[in-house]
Short mmCIF file of all heavy atoms in Angstrom, two decimals:
data_model
loop_
_atom_site.label_atom_id
_atom_site.label_comp_id
_atom_site.label_asym_id
_atom_site.label_seq_id
_atom_site.Cartn_x
_atom_site.Cartn_y
_atom_site.Cartn_z
N ALA A 1 -1.97 -35.03 -17.99
CA ALA A 1 -1.61 -33.64 -17.67
C ALA A 1 -1.40 -33.49 -16.16
O ALA A 1 -1.90 -34.30 -15.39
CB ALA A 1 -2.68 -32.70 -18.13
N ALA A 2 -0.76 -32.42 -15.80
CA ALA A 2 -0.58 -32.12 -14.39
C ALA A 2 -1.78 -31.45 -13.78
O ALA A 2 -2.44 -30.61 -14.41
CB ALA A 2 0.70 -31.23 -14.19
N MET A 3 -2.10 -31.80 -12.57
CA MET A 3 -3.20 -31.20 -11.83
C MET A 3 -2.65 -30.15 -10.90
O MET A 3 -1.93 -30.49 -9.93
CB MET A 3 -3.97 -32.25 -11.04
CG MET A 3 -4.76 -33.26 -11.85
SD MET A 3 -5.70 -34.40 -10.79
CE MET A 3 -6.75 -33.29 -9.94
N SER A 4 -2.95 -28.95 -11.13
CA SER A 4 -2.40 -27.82 -10.28
C SER A 4 -3.51 -26.91 -9.75
O SER A 4 -3.29 -26.14 -8.87
CB SER A 4 -1.40 -27.00 -11.05
OG SER A 4 -1.95 -26.47 -12.27
N SER A 5 -4.72 -27.03 -10.32
CA SER A 5 -5.82 -26.19 -9.85
C SER A 5 -6.60 -26.84 -8.77
O SER A 5 -7.66 -27.47 -8.96
CB SER A 5 -6.78 -25.93 -11.07
OG SER A 5 -6.05 -25.21 -12.08
N PHE A 6 -6.04 -26.82 -7.58
CA PHE A 6 -6.74 -27.36 -6.39
C PHE A 6 -6.34 -26.47 -5.16
O PHE A 6 -5.36 -25.79 -5.19
CB PHE A 6 -6.35 -28.82 -6.15
CG PHE A 6 -4.90 -29.05 -5.86
CD1 PHE A 6 -4.41 -29.01 -4.55
CD2 PHE A 6 -3.99 -29.27 -6.89
CE1 PHE A 6 -3.04 -29.20 -4.30
CE2 PHE A 6 -2.62 -29.46 -6.65
CZ PHE A 6 -2.18 -29.42 -5.31
N PRO A 7 -7.18 -26.49 -4.18
CA PRO A 7 -6.88 -25.68 -2.98
C PRO A 7 -5.55 -26.07 -2.35
O PRO A 7 -5.34 -27.27 -2.11
CB PRO A 7 -8.03 -25.96 -2.02
CG PRO A 7 -9.12 -26.49 -2.87
CD PRO A 7 -8.45 -27.20 -3.96
N LYS A 8 -4.70 -25.11 -2.06
CA LYS A 8 -3.35 -25.42 -1.64
C LYS A 8 -3.08 -25.07 -0.14
O LYS A 8 -1.92 -24.98 0.26
CB LYS A 8 -2.33 -24.75 -2.52
CG LYS A 8 -2.41 -25.23 -3.95
CD LYS A 8 -1.35 -24.57 -4.86
CE LYS A 8 -1.34 -25.18 -6.26
NZ LYS A 8 -2.64 -25.05 -6.97
N GLU A 9 -4.16 -24.88 0.62
CA GLU A 9 -3.97 -24.52 1.99
C GLU A 9 -3.18 -25.63 2.77
O GLU A 9 -2.27 -25.33 3.53
CB GLU A 9 -5.31 -24.28 2.75
CG GLU A 9 -6.00 -23.00 2.31
CD GLU A 9 -6.74 -23.10 1.00
OE1 GLU A 9 -6.86 -24.22 0.45
OE2 GLU A 9 -7.14 -22.06 0.47
N MET A 10 -3.56 -26.86 2.59
CA MET A 10 -2.96 -27.99 3.33
C MET A 10 -1.48 -28.18 2.83
O MET A 10 -0.59 -28.40 3.63
CB MET A 10 -3.73 -29.25 3.17
CG MET A 10 -3.23 -30.39 4.06
SD MET A 10 -4.32 -31.84 3.94
CE MET A 10 -3.39 -32.96 5.01
N THR A 11 -1.29 -28.17 1.49
CA THR A 11 -0.04 -28.41 0.95
C THR A 11 0.95 -27.24 1.34
O THR A 11 2.14 -27.45 1.55
CB THR A 11 -0.02 -28.54 -0.55
OG1 THR A 11 -0.63 -27.35 -1.12
CG2 THR A 11 -0.81 -29.75 -1.00
N THR A 12 0.44 -26.01 1.45
CA THR A 12 1.26 -24.88 1.86
C THR A 12 1.67 -25.07 3.32
O THR A 12 2.82 -24.76 3.70
CB THR A 12 0.47 -23.57 1.70
OG1 THR A 12 0.06 -23.40 0.36
CG2 THR A 12 1.35 -22.38 2.17
N MET A 13 0.79 -25.60 4.15
CA MET A 13 1.11 -25.88 5.55
C MET A 13 2.19 -26.96 5.64
O MET A 13 3.14 -26.81 6.41
CB MET A 13 -0.14 -26.32 6.27
CG MET A 13 0.00 -26.59 7.78
SD MET A 13 0.53 -28.30 8.15
CE MET A 13 -0.88 -29.20 7.66
N LEU A 14 2.09 -27.98 4.83
CA LEU A 14 3.09 -29.06 4.87
C LEU A 14 4.44 -28.59 4.35
O LEU A 14 5.51 -29.05 4.77
CB LEU A 14 2.64 -30.23 4.03
CG LEU A 14 1.49 -31.05 4.60
CD1 LEU A 14 0.94 -32.05 3.60
CD2 LEU A 14 1.89 -31.78 5.86
N ALA A 15 4.43 -27.60 3.45
CA ALA A 15 5.69 -27.06 2.91
C ALA A 15 6.30 -25.99 3.73
O ALA A 15 7.40 -25.49 3.44
CB ALA A 15 5.41 -26.51 1.51
N SER A 16 5.63 -25.60 4.86
CA SER A 16 6.13 -24.50 5.69
C SER A 16 7.13 -25.06 6.73
O SER A 16 7.37 -26.25 6.84
CB SER A 16 4.98 -23.84 6.42
OG SER A 16 4.29 -24.75 7.30
N ASN A 17 7.67 -24.17 7.47
CA ASN A 17 8.62 -24.48 8.54
C ASN A 17 8.05 -24.10 9.90
O ASN A 17 7.58 -22.97 10.09
CB ASN A 17 9.98 -23.74 8.33
CG ASN A 17 10.65 -24.12 7.02
OD1 ASN A 17 10.68 -25.28 6.67
ND2 ASN A 17 11.14 -23.15 6.28
N LEU A 18 8.07 -25.00 10.84
CA LEU A 18 7.55 -24.78 12.14
C LEU A 18 8.46 -23.80 12.91
O LEU A 18 9.65 -24.08 13.07
CB LEU A 18 7.45 -26.10 12.97
CG LEU A 18 6.64 -26.01 14.26
CD1 LEU A 18 5.21 -25.73 14.01
CD2 LEU A 18 6.79 -27.36 14.99
N GLY A 19 7.92 -22.67 13.31
CA GLY A 19 8.68 -21.64 13.93
C GLY A 19 9.69 -20.95 13.01
O GLY A 19 10.65 -20.34 13.46
N GLY A 20 9.48 -21.25 11.70
CA GLY A 20 10.41 -20.68 10.71
C GLY A 20 11.72 -21.43 10.66
O GLY A 20 12.62 -21.00 9.93
N ILE A 21 11.85 -22.55 11.31
CA ILE A 21 13.13 -23.24 11.46
C ILE A 21 12.98 -24.75 10.99
O ILE A 21 13.62 -25.16 10.08
CB ILE A 21 13.64 -23.22 12.88
CG1 ILE A 21 13.89 -21.76 13.35
CG2 ILE A 21 14.94 -24.02 13.03
CD1 ILE A 21 14.29 -21.61 14.77
N VAL A 22 12.11 -25.45 11.65
CA VAL A 22 11.99 -26.92 11.39
C VAL A 22 10.90 -27.21 10.36
O VAL A 22 9.76 -26.85 10.55
CB VAL A 22 11.61 -27.72 12.71
CG1 VAL A 22 11.60 -29.17 12.45
CG2 VAL A 22 12.62 -27.36 13.83
N PRO A 23 11.26 -27.87 9.25
CA PRO A 23 10.30 -28.18 8.20
C PRO A 23 9.27 -29.12 8.70
O PRO A 23 9.56 -30.10 9.39
CB PRO A 23 11.14 -28.84 7.11
CG PRO A 23 12.50 -28.34 7.32
CD PRO A 23 12.66 -28.15 8.82
N VAL A 24 7.98 -28.85 8.39
CA VAL A 24 6.87 -29.69 8.81
C VAL A 24 7.00 -31.10 8.22
O VAL A 24 6.74 -32.10 8.91
CB VAL A 24 5.49 -29.09 8.41
CG1 VAL A 24 4.36 -30.05 8.71
CG2 VAL A 24 5.27 -27.77 9.11
N ARG A 25 7.52 -31.18 7.00
CA ARG A 25 7.71 -32.48 6.35
C ARG A 25 8.78 -33.29 7.07
O ARG A 25 8.66 -34.54 7.12
CB ARG A 25 8.12 -32.30 4.88
CG ARG A 25 6.97 -31.99 3.95
CD ARG A 25 7.38 -31.74 2.54
NE ARG A 25 7.95 -30.43 2.35
CZ ARG A 25 8.20 -29.89 1.18
NH1 ARG A 25 7.93 -30.55 0.10
NH2 ARG A 25 8.69 -28.69 1.06
N LEU A 26 9.75 -32.71 7.65
CA LEU A 26 10.75 -33.42 8.45
C LEU A 26 10.11 -34.01 9.70
O LEU A 26 10.43 -35.13 10.10
CB LEU A 26 11.89 -32.48 8.86
CG LEU A 26 12.96 -33.05 9.71
CD1 LEU A 26 13.70 -34.23 9.01
CD2 LEU A 26 13.96 -32.00 10.14
N ILE A 27 9.21 -33.27 10.28
CA ILE A 27 8.51 -33.75 11.46
C ILE A 27 7.70 -34.99 11.11
O ILE A 27 7.66 -36.02 11.89
CB ILE A 27 7.58 -32.63 12.04
CG1 ILE A 27 8.45 -31.49 12.55
CG2 ILE A 27 6.74 -33.21 13.26
CD1 ILE A 27 7.67 -30.26 12.98
N VAL A 28 7.03 -34.94 9.96
CA VAL A 28 6.21 -36.13 9.53
C VAL A 28 7.11 -37.34 9.35
O VAL A 28 6.81 -38.44 9.80
CB VAL A 28 5.49 -35.79 8.20
CG1 VAL A 28 4.78 -37.08 7.66
CG2 VAL A 28 4.49 -34.68 8.41
N PHE A 29 8.29 -37.14 8.70
CA PHE A 29 9.22 -38.21 8.50
C PHE A 29 9.71 -38.75 9.83
O PHE A 29 9.76 -40.03 9.99
CB PHE A 29 10.45 -37.72 7.64
CG PHE A 29 11.50 -38.70 7.52
CD1 PHE A 29 11.42 -39.71 6.57
CD2 PHE A 29 12.63 -38.70 8.31
CE1 PHE A 29 12.41 -40.66 6.41
CE2 PHE A 29 13.62 -39.66 8.18
CZ PHE A 29 13.48 -40.59 7.22
#
């Protein structure tokens, strides 16, 4: 089964855009 019941503070941060423009995931890459 899929695991979805976990704290999402860190994943939300990774899915966000720095300054509303540059994706955080792009910076990691």
Side-chain angles (χ1 to χ4, degrees):
M3 292 182 62
S4 56
S5 299
F6 62 90
K8 296 182 174 61
E9 288 80 10
M10 184 174 181
T11 56
T12 301
M13 182 272 293
L14 289 170
S16 64
N17 300 316
L18 191 64
I21 299 174
V22 183
V24 174
R25 279 178 284 191
L26 177 62
I27 296 173
V28 175
F29 174 80

